[in-house]
Amino acid sequence: ETGVTQTPRHLVMGMTNKKSLKCEQHLGHNAMYWYKQSAKKPLELMFVYNFKEQTENNSVPSRFSPECPNSSHLFLHLHTLQPEDSALYLCASSLRGLSYEQYFGPGTRLTVT
Amino acid sequence: TQLLEQSPQFLSIQEGENLTVYCNSSSVFSSLQWYRQEPGEGPVLLVTVVTGGEVKKLKRLTFQFGDARKDSSLHITAAQPGDTGLYLCAGARGETSGSRLTFGEGTQLTVNP
């Protein structure tokens, strides 16, 4: 595997379900990010981890819970989501937190029913 | 407040035509990046420009950063169907917020054969 991978690629969940999104980067980077991409909106930064420490939480509702066990893996735990949370969730990584060049995974297309 | 405005939002052209898309802001950025995103995939980094007035070329793509580092343009010569995609610009502002990129809404380009 190379680059940034995300699983699953597609997820349909009910509002009462609990699920997790997984991201893995094989680039030797130290910073990882979660973004939300909705139709007709700019990418929204959700969380930033730099050397496994969360450095930014962009006012994200608590129904989204990130976890970064090491510099190569990032999870987004989901519970009691709302239909408006349906979107493409993108993971990205960069060499370090101050590096502007971010490399994205293919995303997880999430549909909340 | 929309910090980065991209225009046009949609562009449909014939193969072989030239085009320019724009990324404008009232804010100064320390660097600016262009990404291309294809359906079902994450954004792929095309280029980073750092110096005001900088011009970078990537085959048929020419990127320019404005002198005041507030705007950028992407010019494609002799567009091909493979250029179809969502073109995103993203600006970074200063080292203290170096981990945060501000994205525009994107320009959806369709090149018809």
Side-chain angles (χ1 to χ4, degrees), chain A residues 21-55:
Chain A
L21 310 185
K22 178 183 176 182
C23 175
E24 185 173 359
Q25 59 94 2
H26 309 268
L27 300 169
H29 290 169
N30 294 302
M32 298 187 77
Y33 312 77
W34 280 117
Y35 286 89
K36 176 183 179 183
Q37 187 175 35
S38 306
K40 300 183 181 179
K41 284 187 177 181
L43 266 72
E44 300 172 54
L45 179 65
M46 301 174 71
F47 302 104
V48 180
Y49 279 82
N50 195 22
F51 290 94
K52 300 188 299 178
E53 298 297 322
Q54 187 179 126
T55 59

Side-chain angles (χ1 to χ4, degrees), chain A residues 52-70:
Chain A
K52 300 188 299 178
E53 298 297 322
Q54 187 179 126
T55 59
E56 189 149 348
N57 176 337
N58 199 24
S59 301
V60 180
S62 59
R63 57 186 184 269
F64 295 91
S65 175
E67 178 189 0
C68 187
N70 55 60

Side-chain angles (χ1 to χ4, degrees), chain B residues 1 3 8-10 20 22 24 27-28 35 41 43 50 56 58 60 63 66 78 81 85 93 99 102-103 106:
Chain B
T1 303
L3 291 180
Q9 275 191 288
F10 300 94
T20 302
Y22 300 92
N24 295 299
S27 303
V28 176
Y35 292 83
E41 298 297 329
V50 178
K56 281 192 174 179
L58 184 66
R60 294 175 294 100
F63 304 86
R93 298 171 68 190
S99 60
T102 300
F103 282 84

Side-chain angles (χ1 to χ4, degrees), chain A residues 43-112:
Chain A
L43 266 72
E44 300 172 54
L45 179 65
M46 301 174 71
F47 302 104
V48 180
Y49 279 82
N50 195 22
F51 290 94
K52 300 188 299 178
E53 298 297 322
Q54 187 179 126
T55 59
E56 189 149 348
N57 176 337
N58 199 24
S59 301
V60 180
S62 59
R63 57 186 184 269
F64 295 91
S65 175
E67 178 189 0
C68 187
N70 55 60
S71 293
S72 298
H73 294 85
L74 185 65
F75 296 89
L76 188 62
H77 304 299
L78 316 171
H79 64 96
T80 58
L81 293 191
Q82 304 299 311
E84 59 264 29
D85 297 322
S86 298
L88 182 68
Y89 288 85
L90 291 162
C91 173
S93 70
S94 64
L95 183 59
R96 57 189 183 278
L98 290 179
S99 172
Y100 307 135
E101 297 191 340
Q102 296 182 14
Y103 294 82
F104 286 83
T108 295
R109 173 65 63 185
L110 174 66
T111 303
V112 181

